[in-house]
Amino acid sequence: GIHDDLLTQLAKIKDLKVISRTSVMKYRGTQMNIPEIAAELGVSTILEGGIQRAGDRIRINAQLIDVSTDEHMWAETFDREMTVENIFDIQSEITRHIVTAIRGELTDEEAATLAQRPTDNLDAYEAYLKARVFLNDPLYSQEKYINAEEWLEKAVTYDPGFAQAWSFLVGTHGQAIWLGYDDSPERLQAALDALNNAEKFGPGLPETIAAKAEYLYRIKGDFHAAEPLFAQASEANPGDSDLLNGLATTERRTGQFEQAITHFQMAIDLDPANLDARSVLLDTLLTMGAYDRAEPLADLWIEKYPETQIFKTYKAQILTFAYGRLNEAKALMTEVDPNLGFQYFVTITDTFLFDRDYQGLIEILGRPPLSQLADNGVYRTMIPELVSRAYRYMGETANAEKYTRRAIEIGAAYRPSSIISASFNLQALALAYANNKQFDKALATANQSIELQAESDDSIMGFWNSINRDMILGMVGQRDESLAEIERLLKTPVGLSRWELYLSPDWDFFLDDERFNALARPENLEEAGQ
């Protein structure tokens, strides 16, 4: 925890490049020498040390090493009583020595920032640090937020005025809503209460500003309002890779894809082991259809991080949407352990659907872990609608109608708290109406999804809403308008892929129209051997 806080302190100092915790922890107990570590991390100075705790006392030794000479620039041992005041005093003193040795004296503003203590309660501080351990997990999963939330709740119970703990609670509540595992009104209120407390007890803190940005992003879906707040928080803490990652993730939603990629790269420079930034960077390139830029990165990271299977998932998407090499994509997905991640869900269901293995699609949706998504707000209407399509394509009309009715019943009654769950719900409900021949309702629901999140509001979900509406236009017989939209969406940074049109049975209703076939024909069809 002290390690983590030191990095947080140093990240606030301008003109210092500070490598994040996830990237340096692998050197704990390493046999590598200092120059080797420095070369891997791209740094010229290394701080090393150790912490011992015995009862009510704490001993910290620290030494700052100049890599070029392998000599100490500064070294000291602190032996103090274990109190919050002493811990923060030691951290501030270490930070001052580091900055003085590397850059020169602290500015008055920086000195004032270092003097601030987030809490005076040792139990609250330790609970907060345990929460940060979970939040530092580089993999994007609901488990990390559930575990972190438990400790953050303890932190604010011990110290109700702990602004930073409230700020991170905004994020855990926001992720519960965004990921769909709890989008109840109670969760929504808990997120708002946490934000209000963060702003009450820590107005102007970078963590509070970032919390407001998280609230706007995850709950309100107002990415244009969230972006400048993430930028402001990142400017205040220039060495914080998580804030850069948050800024880049928001820039994707506002259509600034190249700027987002730049900020993802900066986050990776600060945290070379940050797999989450790499993952979302790849996703951004794929979303843009920039397969030529994404593929070498996917190949490199599959080789470098073989235990991180999401890179194989992205590679499978590249094989499918760039080349139509579905057999290779299917084979690669057999190497990925089934999981609850959105990318796995989308990729595995597309693989079965495009391969027209409808029975396989139904089976994988009906067994763990994907069966666990039935009550998730993002998937609750989507899954029965997808199953209904699979049965319809198999010619099993009775089962298709049963699941279509179920999707309509669930979707029409569902009132999600989050904008992302609302968008996915409306998309699936519109398709279910169309498959049930309720064409007026289908088009009205598709239009409602556009009103909720248009392309100008969200450069990812907005385009998905447009694609969904475009398909429904074709299904209800408005072919000229649908074909014009297909042509437009094939040219947009986030839009349709020719291979998707060519492979997906969802577009088969258009195969009797040569205008569609001309648009859907992949330019590299012959290369794929099809």
Side-chain angles (χ1 to χ4, degrees):
I2 290 176
H3 183 188
D4 202 34
D5 259 13
L6 273 172
L7 290 170
T8 301
Q9 295 256 43
L10 288 165
K12 298 175 182 178
I13 308 299
K14 290 180 172 58
D15 306 322
L16 285 188
K17 173 187 175 183
V18 187
I19 303 299
S20 297
R21 185 176 190 271
T22 51
S23 292
V24 298
M25 283 306 293
K26 71 174 185 176
Y27 299 106
R28 185 177 184 175
T30 183
Q31 299 302 310
M32 294 177 63
N33 60 39
I34 292 295
E36 289 172 334
I37 297 171
E40 282 193 1
L41 295 176
V43 296
S44 59
T45 312
I46 285 186
L47 176 71
E48 69 170 0
I51 302 171
Q52 293 175 305
R53 179 178 178 179
D56 293 331
R57 296 199 67 80
I58 187 169
R59 171 176 288 184
I60 301 175
N61 63 76
Q63 49 192 6
L64 191 65
I65 301 169
D66 184 334
V67 174
S68 63
T69 62
D70 202 20
E71 294 180 353
H72 291 162
M73 302 170 70
W74 165 81
E76 192 162 336
T77 298
F78 303 88
D79 193 340
R80 308 269 176 92
E81 183 183 357
M82 180 74 171
T83 66
V84 167
E85 182 177 8
N86 282 341
I87 288 173
F88 287 119
D89 284 347
I90 293 169
Q91 290 175 6
S92 296
E93 189 170 343
I94 292 173
T95 302
R96 282 195 297 272
H97 281 295
I98 291 170
V99 174
T100 301
I102 295 174
R103 195 205 65 185
E105 291 298 320
L106 288 165
T107 66
D108 291 342
E109 182 181 1
E110 289 168 343
T113 298
L114 292 182
Q116 295 174 354
R117 288 202 301 271
T119 180
D120 291 321
N121 186 295
L122 189 58
D123 290 329
Y125 178 62
E126 290 202 284
Y128 167 78
L129 293 178
K130 288 178 179 178
R132 293 294 302 270
V133 170
F134 287 109
L135 292 174
N136 281 332
D137 187 328
L139 298 181
Y140 187 48
S141 67
Q142 67 184 50
E143 288 77 15
K144 69 188 273 185
Y145 299 109
I146 292 171
N147 290 326
E149 182 186 331
E150 179 183 349
W151 286 105
L152 289 169
E153 290 287 0
K154 290 180 180 179
V156 296
T157 299
Y158 290 130
D159 179 3
F162 195 168
Q164 284 91 334
W166 285 116
S167 294
F168 283 106
L169 267 174
V170 176
T172 60
H173 291 313
Q175 290 290 354
I177 293 169
W178 181 265
L179 292 172
Y181 62 86
D182 181 3
D183 64 350
S184 64
E186 292 78 14
R187 178 69 75 166
L188 184 65
Q189 186 60 49
L192 182 58
D193 290 344
L195 177 59
N196 287 337
N197 281 318
E199 292 182 326
K200 175 182 178 181
F201 298 115
L205 290 177
E207 293 89 347
T208 301
I209 296 166
K212 179 65 176 293
E214 279 286 329
Y215 184 84
L216 290 167
Y217 185 112
R218 303 289 171 190
I219 297 170
K220 293 298 185 182
D222 191 345
F223 308 108
H224 292 279
E227 183 190 325
L229 292 176
F230 270 125
Q232 183 183 349
S234 183
E235 185 177 355
N237 280 11
D240 191 319
S241 64
D242 290 335
L243 290 176
L244 277 169
N245 206 26
L247 174 59
T249 302
T250 310
E251 287 168 336
R252 292 169 11 118
R253 298 279 173 174
T254 60
Q256 300 179 83
F257 294 106
E258 292 297 342
Q259 191 166 314
I261 289 168
T262 298
H263 284 131
F264 280 128
Q265 293 284 9
M266 290 171 63
I268 292 169
D269 287 344
L270 289 173
D271 192 357
N274 190 325
L275 303 183
D276 182 49
R278 283 180 164 82
S279 173
V280 189
L281 188 155
L282 260 183
D283 184 69
T284 303
L285 291 170
L286 290 173
T287 300
M288 296 165 59
Y291 304 115
D292 56 335
R293 296 165 64 185
E295 187 170 18
L297 292 177
D299 291 339
L300 173 65
W301 294 338
I302 287 171
E303 181 180 357
K304 190 171 182 179
Y305 308 105
E307 73 288 351
T308 306
Q309 298 180 337
I310 195 168
F311 298 130
K312 291 182 180 179
T313 302
Y314 287 122
K315 176 67 174 185
Q317 291 181 17
I318 293 167
L319 291 169
T320 299
F321 292 101
Y323 307 113
R325 285 150 53 182
L326 194 55
N327 289 336
E328 293 177 51
K330 285 167 51 185
L332 189 58
M333 287 304 292
T334 64
E335 300 177 17
V336 178
D337 294 331
N339 61 78
L340 294 174
F342 181 75
Q343 291 300 335
Y344 177 79
F345 177 88
V346 170
T347 308
I348 200 67
T349 54
D350 278 350
T351 300
F352 278 100
L353 189 66
F354 292 2
D355 193 41
R356 303 183 184 233
D357 181 0
Y358 306 124
Q359 188 60 48
L361 175 59
I362 292 167
E363 289 174 0
I364 197 169
L365 289 172
R367 64 173 182 259
L370 296 188
S371 61
Q372 300 171 30
L373 296 173
D375 293 327
N376 185 295
V378 170
Y379 304 93
R380 66 176 60 190
T381 310
M382 187 192 311
I383 288 177
E385 191 284 318
L386 186 53
V387 172
S388 76
R389 270 186 280 153
Y391 277 121
R392 182 159 53 87
Y393 297 150
M394 291 169 67
E396 295 190 19
T397 305
N399 276 327
E401 291 177 350
K402 180 178 78 171
Y403 279 94
T404 296
R405 288 193 299 271
R406 182 180 297 179
I408 290 173
E409 181 182 344
I410 294 171
Y414 183 37
R415 297 292 182 270
S417 298
S418 76
I419 196 165
I420 186 170
S421 292
S423 283
F424 279 123
N425 181 65
L426 290 171
Q427 288 177 18
L429 181 59
L431 286 173
Y433 279 137
N435 290 328
N436 205 41
K437 310 301 181 186
Q438 295 174 267
F439 294 134
D440 288 344
K441 283 190 174 181
L443 198 51
T445 305
N447 287 332
Q448 189 180 347
S449 73
I450 299 290
E451 292 169 7
L452 179 69
Q453 272 185 301
E455 294 170 16
S456 58
D457 301 318
D458 181 349
S459 288
I460 297 177
M461 183 62 79
F463 277 96
W464 292 351
N465 285 335
S466 293
I467 292 168
N468 196 65
R469 178 180 179 274
D470 181 33
M471 182 183 294
I472 289 169
L473 283 171
M475 293 171 71
V476 304
Q478 298 185 28
R479 289 198 164 195
D480 290 345
E481 186 177 350
S482 178
L483 288 165
E485 267 291 272
I486 289 173
E487 189 169 8
R488 179 183 76 86
L489 289 166
L490 284 169
K491 297 174 182 176
T492 57
V494 183
L496 282 166
S497 155
R498 291 180 185 272
W499 277 109
E500 179 180 1
L501 295 172
Y502 185 83
L503 292 170
S504 174
D506 293 338
W507 294 95
D508 280 1
F509 67 87
F510 245 142
L511 291 178
D512 62 349
D513 194 318
E514 284 307 313
R515 296 174 298 170
F516 171 81
N517 293 329
L519 288 171
R521 180 181 174 83
E523 296 173 353
N524 54 347
L525 184 62
E526 286 76 14
E527 296 174 26
Q530 300 196 33

